[in-house]
């Protein structure tokens, strides 16, 4: 699997012919070259939905989101896939499961769009857990027990999501092979030092921290 990073919480997961764009607020030049096959949006905040509507229409692909947010996009004429927390959508490549995230969910125009979510992506046998925007919660361990996680995408920015101290605990609970920090340094209010996070996580766990810069591509193989 190739994991493209656009910055903030924006990733493109590529495996065989599937290219899943997640929270595409920022699209790096390398991501822009890839035609996505699906967009997954964790919640409606502007720093996550970005140009989802435009990208979905241009590529004639669906947006996957919780029921209320999917309806919001459907009203705008987008193809959608809906579901809700705990639910799994099956695909040829595996499945995508909606999981809990503790945060808010509304769109930039003020529409309330239900609960936010995180996603467990199970793609060709590799599991990526994108937590969405969330605070720390103990059931992250239970979520990872149900589907052991290879790569965790975890916020460290603090203020609007968990900060580095809680992200270290989240990483321990999930116990992934790799953790990639996200949702930091996009603007001054969420400035963090990812190297410090890396040192602390790697000091007392077997998880490796991969720090990505916008436009980086990380390849993960089992
Ligand atoms: Ni948010
Ligand atoms: Mn956010």
């Amino acid at each position: 699997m190739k994991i493209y990073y656009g910055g903030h919480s924006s990733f493109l997961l590529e495996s065989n012919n599937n290219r899943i764009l997640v929270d595409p607020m920022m699209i790096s030049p390398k991501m822009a070259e890839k035609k996505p096959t699906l967009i997954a949006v964790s919640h409606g905040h502007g720093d996550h939905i970005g140009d989802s509507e435009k990208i979905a229409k241009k590529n004639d692909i669906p947006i996957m989101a919780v029921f209320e947010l999917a309806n919001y996009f459907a009203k705008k004429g987008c193809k959608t896939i809906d579901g809700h927390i705990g639910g799994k959508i099956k695909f040829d490549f595996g499945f995508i499961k909606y999981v809990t995230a503790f945060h808010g969910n509304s769109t930039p125009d003020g529409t309330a769009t239900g609960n936010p979510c995180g996603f467990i992506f199970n793609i060709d046998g590799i599991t990526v857990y994108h937590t969405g925007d969330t605070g720390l919660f103990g059931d992250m361990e239970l979520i990872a027990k149900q589907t052991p996680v290879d790569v965790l995408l975890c916020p460290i920015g603090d203020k609007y999501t968990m900060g580095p101290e809680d992200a270290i605990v989240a990483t321990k609970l999930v116990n992934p092979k790799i953790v990639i920090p996200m949702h930091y340094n996009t603007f001054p209010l969420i400035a963090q030092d990812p190297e410090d996070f890396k040192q602390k996580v790697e000091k007392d766990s077997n998880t490796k921290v991969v720090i990505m810069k916008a436009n980086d591509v990380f390849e993960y193989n089992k």
Side-chain angles (χ1 to χ4, degrees):
M1 177 188 287
K2 281 187 178 162
I3 299 175
Y4 294 76
Y5 187 47
H8 206 52
S9 297
S10 179
F11 293 87
L12 184 124
L13 311 176
E14 181 181 49
S15 178
N16 294 316
N17 293 322
N18 294 294
R19 288 171 299 279
I20 302 170
L21 194 53
V22 193
D23 285 359
M25 195 259 294
M26 295 171 92
I27 302 287
S28 69
K30 278 181 195 157
M31 284 164 84
E33 289 170 12
K34 299 281 165 179
K35 183 181 151 46
T37 51
L38 175 74
I39 305 173
V41 182
S42 66
H43 64 295
H45 291 164
D47 59 322
H48 296 261
I49 66 172
D51 281 330
S52 294
E53 181 189 339
K54 218 193 267 174
I55 299 166
K57 285 177 177 168
K58 184 180 155 210
N59 294 289
D60 194 29
I61 56 170
I63 298 175
M64 178 169 169
V66 295
F67 177 75
E68 295 84 356
L69 184 56
N71 283 350
Y72 169 86
F73 285 120
K75 274 191 196 142
K76 292 187 174 292
C78 299
K79 287 184 180 171
T80 59
I81 297 173
D82 72 353
H84 231 300
I85 291 163
K88 209 187 264 174
I89 309 293
K90 288 184 180 151
F91 296 91
D92 290 345
F93 57 75
F95 65 83
I96 304 175
K97 184 180 181 182
Y98 296 90
V99 295
T100 311
F102 287 97
H103 192 64
N105 195 6
S106 58
T107 57
D109 64 8
T111 308
T113 41
N115 282 308
C117 73
F119 292 108
I120 295 283
F121 297 97
N122 184 266
I123 306 170
D124 299 325
I126 291 173
T127 299
V128 177
Y129 176 13
H130 188 297
T131 68
D133 280 3
T134 186
L136 175 65
F137 58 100
D139 282 350
M140 292 180 124
E141 185 173 23
L142 187 60
I143 289 166
K145 194 178 158 204
Q146 293 298 89
T147 318
V149 174
D150 295 302
V151 181
L152 171 66
L153 311 175
C154 188
I156 65 163
D158 219 336
K159 186 157 170 80
Y160 301 105
T161 64
M162 65 179 105
E165 302 85 1
D166 286 357
I168 291 166
V169 177
T171 303
K172 277 187 192 147
L173 291 176
V174 173
N175 191 28
K177 307 262 185 347
I178 305 284
V179 60
I180 300 171
M182 64 175 181
H183 210 279
Y184 68 97
N185 289 358
T186 321
F187 39 87
L189 286 171
I190 54 170
Q192 296 296 341
D193 176 7
E195 292 293 344
D196 184 63
F197 172 73
K198 180 179 168 77
Q199 227 176 54
K200 287 174 178 159
V201 168
E202 292 183 350
K203 198 178 70 188
D204 58 3
S205 76
N206 294 320
T207 300
K208 259 191 68 78
V209 179
V210 173
I211 297 169
M212 295 186 78
K213 295 187 302 293
N215 210 33
D216 280 354
V217 183
F218 171 67
E219 187 159 358
Y220 179 85
N221 295 299
K222 278 245 182 192

